[in-house]
Amino acid sequence: MRALILGGTSDAGRLADAIARARMDAIYSYAGRTQDPAAQALPTRIGGFGGMSGLADFIRRERISHVIDATHPFAAEMSRNAVAACAATGTALIALERPPWTRISGDNWIDVADIGAAVAALPEQPACVFLAIGRQHLAPFSVKPQHAYTLRLVDPPDRPLPLPRTDLIVSRGPFTLADDRELMRSRDIGYVVARNAGGSGARAKLDAARELGLPVIMIARPDLPERLRVDSIDDVLAWLGHDARLGA
Ligand code: 3Y8
Ligand code: NAP
């Protein structure tokens, strides 16, 4: 057995720890989006594979027998490539996918399908907007330059930002309720824009918004192709043939 973890999330890191403890043969993979990704307990490769065919070549060359897609729910291209490459090479594939966040009493969510709909959901009247969606998808918001945008990025930007009025926070998660509440209160935030990432690492902003009675424009997850999906690390270990109850 030799596993490839398509990682880049806190859940993927916890899975890598469990697989290393179980002394299973595995490789962890980052896309290379950030300057200083968290170290992992497994041998790690960084960078794209070169599309579906590049991933299939990697699987053959490295004699990968099991692929675990533990990427973020919005890493849709990687997930699609994994389904295609595993089908082409006859390799076992499982996705470790955290459940989406669901609204609870007191939440004021505006559900939207994608980034474009999130832009449309913002008012015409100037507002203070917390764009908690990272760096890669900011350009669509430039059609509403009237807002004061608070941005949270993992790394300092290496090129000019596409929005005229920005307040930049450079911080990687996981985030805390106290910090996110203070962030919103000190900047008089009127709207929060978020992707439905799920998990615990970035949900603090939702709890802070609820406390402050702020609307959250919640971007739904992209559709992904059908593949075997679990939401627990123990289920992944069992699928790999390791019974977590037996310990290491
Ligand atoms: C490179 C690995 C940990 C891991 C932290 C989780 C939690 C914070 C939720 C907000 C939302 C956002 C963003 C976010 C989350 C965790 C987790 C998670 C959202 C790292 C990481 C990599 C990335 C890539 C980065 C994206 C960006 C997205 C920031 C490491 C820290 C906004 C997604 O500058 C860039 O190009 C950044 C790109 C993809 C989305 C974007 O479009 O900008 N993640 N995030 C992975 C790789 O190279 O393969 O650097 O260590 C991982 C984490 N991201 O240690 O606990 O759920 O796991 N990441 C979103 O939800 O919209 C933050 O600010 O509230
Ligand atoms: P994406 O749009 O789905 O993928 C674009 C390309 O990036 C892929 O086709 C692949 O390149 C490469 N890639 C993506 N994930 C990879 C991985 N784990 N290992 C090797 N190559 C990878 O991906 P994304 O949304 O930019 O996410 C990139 C990384 O950040 C992923 O690890 C993801 O888990 C993490 N992340 C993303 C988000 C988010 O909001 N999207 C949030 C938190 C963490 P090739 O085609 O060349 O193989």
Side-chain angles (χ1 to χ4, degrees), residues 47 64 117:
I64 300 295

Side-chain angles (χ1 to χ4, degrees), residues 7-11 29-34 36-38 72 98 130 132-137 152 154-155 172-175 195 197-198 201-202 205:
T9 60
S10 40
D11 295 341
S29 179
Y30 277 121
R33 284 280 179 290
T34 52
D36 185 19
H72 187 276
R98 75 252 326 231
F130 176 27
I133 57 168
R135 175 190 64 84
Q136 296 181 101
H137 303 283
R152 178 153 66 187
V154 179
D155 297 314
R172 70 173 52 233
F175 307 105
R195 286 202 198 91
K205 59 183 177 278

